[in-house]
Amino acid sequence: MIPSIRTAYNQQFTPEKYEAFLAGIASDAGIAPAFRVAETPVFIPASLTSKLVQACEEIIDVLLRPGFKTLTQNAIPQRLNVPNENEHPHFIVIDFAVTREEDGSLAPQLIELQGFPTMFAFQEVMARRFKEHFEIPANFSNYFNNLDDTSYYDLLRTVILGDLPPEEVILLEVKPAEQKTRIDFQRTEKMLGISTVCLTELIQEGKKLYYLKDGKKTPVRRIFNRVIFDDLEKQAEQLGDFVNLFQELDVEWITHPNWFYRISKFMMPFIHSDYVPKSWFLHQLPVLPTDLENYVLKPLFSFAGKGVLLDVTQEEINKINDPENWILQRKVQYAPAIITPTGPAICEIRMIYIWPDGAIRPMLVHNLARISKSRMIGVAFNTQDTWVGGSCCFFER
């Protein structure tokens, strides 16, 4: 995106540096990534950074509107509604495609947003290892709001642990050892001192939850939630017996599961910004556009690109028997803005917010990037290419 820096990075790259970089990540986390890590970070010019921040803040403004919960009351499937929802999410992630405007300048376009955590610990490791193994210009940073590696973890510790001892806080997931994000779980354990627990390992006594830590029954007072509940629903039969999380329990959620649905594609029709593609709930469209080839159909309740229809036709729409659970969105044209030795690549940028209790607004803290050479973005869609996969951004200051 910045030609001189891109050229310099590509010239300094060697396979040996890349292998040392991957080995450093595995050493820090204790295991190797279960997904492809790209050979390069993404260098973001100041002009694009300002647009990204503006777009994010416009989206946050919608979230802060009076009556936001009323506006999004239909976002949560009734069967997946968890009691004791708090006043705001602790985490917000906002995904943008990098596109080009008519004048040729780079610009973001919203793809997805979620009230859900992301790979906080892994992204710190990746960015730090990029800086150790490659020459990253000093006026570029992976952080926002003057954070560094130390203050970033201090913030995570405050939000996730609060004033509780680490043994009473757990990272909750379904079959965590089988998840592609398990490297993040392991690094989180190391940095925060909490345990990763499978849902099937929880013990319920009345409204209280426990787990076994070193063979000792230990109370769970706070859950750092990584369970995606619609995915849980699909796996329920294979899991056997497990605690019903859709009941009154004496536990705090970080962040509460309902925010996964409130801050999601469900919000997109309500956001009006130059950086958000026009979107409509499918069941509320009186007339379909005649140029359906310029649109994409997205299921409201999906994750990691599952179920997205890139080639929309009247026939495909006619097959949908629950149009209230779909949005029709103006298609975004990714710009092949990253020049690599094996050809141009496109990318998405995830802007990561943390919202501590008591804060007026969430705070932009970090980022994640995905680099691709296929039609779909995501580590599952780039199994044959090089210079693609999970990455991070360094923003020009």
Side-chain angles (χ1 to χ4, degrees), residues 339-375:
I339 304 304
T340 81
T342 56
I346 61 175
C347 79
E348 280 182 8
I349 298 169
R350 171 170 289 181
M351 305 289 272
I352 301 172
Y353 279 79
I354 292 179
W355 196 342
D357 288 329
I360 297 174
R361 292 179 73 95
M363 181 170 71
L364 181 59
V365 296
H366 209 277
N367 78 90
L368 177 153
R370 298 188 186 96
I371 302 174
S372 177
K373 293 176 182 175
S374 71
R375 294 184 71 194

Side-chain angles (χ1 to χ4, degrees), residues 1-240:
M1 296 185 191
I2 305 175
S4 59
I5 293 176
R6 171 50 55 198
T7 299
Y9 183 90
N10 290 1
Q11 288 175 346
Q12 67 160 303
F13 179 88
T14 66
E16 292 76 19
K17 285 184 179 181
Y18 178 59
E19 291 303 320
F21 160 72
L22 294 178
I25 289 175
S27 174
D28 286 347
I31 57 173
F35 50 86
R36 194 175 201 289
V37 176
E39 286 85 341
T40 180
V42 182
F43 299 102
I44 307 296
S47 57
L48 179 56
T49 300
S50 64
K51 292 176 182 178
L52 282 161
V53 173
Q54 178 186 337
C56 286
E57 292 303 312
E58 290 174 352
I59 292 167
I60 298 299
D61 286 342
V62 175
L63 173 60
L64 292 172
R65 285 180 191 169
F68 177 79
K69 282 196 172 185
T70 301
L71 186 70
T72 57
Q73 62 186 354
N74 294 327
I76 309 166
Q78 193 57 42
R79 68 187 186 283
L80 301 179
N81 198 318
V82 177
N84 301 319
E85 181 182 324
N86 63 338
E87 289 306 306
H88 65 74
H90 295 94
F91 313 114
I92 302 168
V93 296
I94 309 176
D95 295 349
F96 295 94
V98 175
T99 70
R100 286 200 185 275
E101 300 192 283
E102 291 184 3
D103 64 1
S105 64
L106 296 171
Q109 283 290 308
L110 180 67
I111 296 297
E112 181 96 64
L113 65 167
Q114 293 168 351
F116 196 73
T118 190
M119 297 202 297
F120 295 120
F122 177 74
Q123 288 307 115
E124 179 276 327
V125 171
M126 181 196 293
R128 178 166 45 78
R129 285 295 182 174
F130 265 127
K131 287 183 282 189
E132 290 177 7
H133 293 278
F134 299 94
E135 294 178 14
I136 307 299
N139 63 324
F140 282 73
S141 176
N142 49 300
Y143 291 112
F144 295 90
N145 286 299
N146 299 313
L147 291 173
D148 58 22
D149 293 346
T150 300
S151 57
Y152 174 68
Y153 272 115
D154 287 343
L155 178 61
L156 282 177
R157 196 170 289 108
T158 296
V159 173
I160 295 172
L161 297 183
D163 57 0
L164 294 176
E167 61 268 20
E168 295 184 1
V169 182
I170 63 168
L171 187 160
L172 187 67
E173 176 58 291
V174 177
K175 298 182 178 179
E178 298 179 16
Q179 301 294 333
K180 286 192 174 183
T181 50
R182 59 186 177 270
I183 188 172
D184 181 66
F185 304 161
Q186 190 149 330
R187 180 65 178 176
T188 301
E189 288 184 21
K190 181 177 180 179
M191 298 307 294
L192 301 187
I194 65 177
S195 296
T196 299
V197 177
C198 180
L199 173 58
T200 59
E201 297 170 346
L202 288 177
I203 303 165
Q204 181 178 359
E205 294 181 3
K207 292 185 178 181
K208 296 188 180 299
L209 296 179
Y210 300 86
Y211 74 109
L212 295 179
K213 183 175 178 62
D214 300 325
K216 178 183 176 182
K217 191 171 74 172
T218 305
V220 176
R221 296 178 61 190
R222 182 175 279 196
I223 294 174
F224 176 36
N225 182 48
R226 300 295 288 266
V227 177
I228 299 170
F229 278 45
D230 48 329
D231 281 356
L232 168 61
E233 193 175 40
K234 296 169 186 174
Q235 301 179 62
E237 289 186 9
Q238 289 76 41
L239 294 176

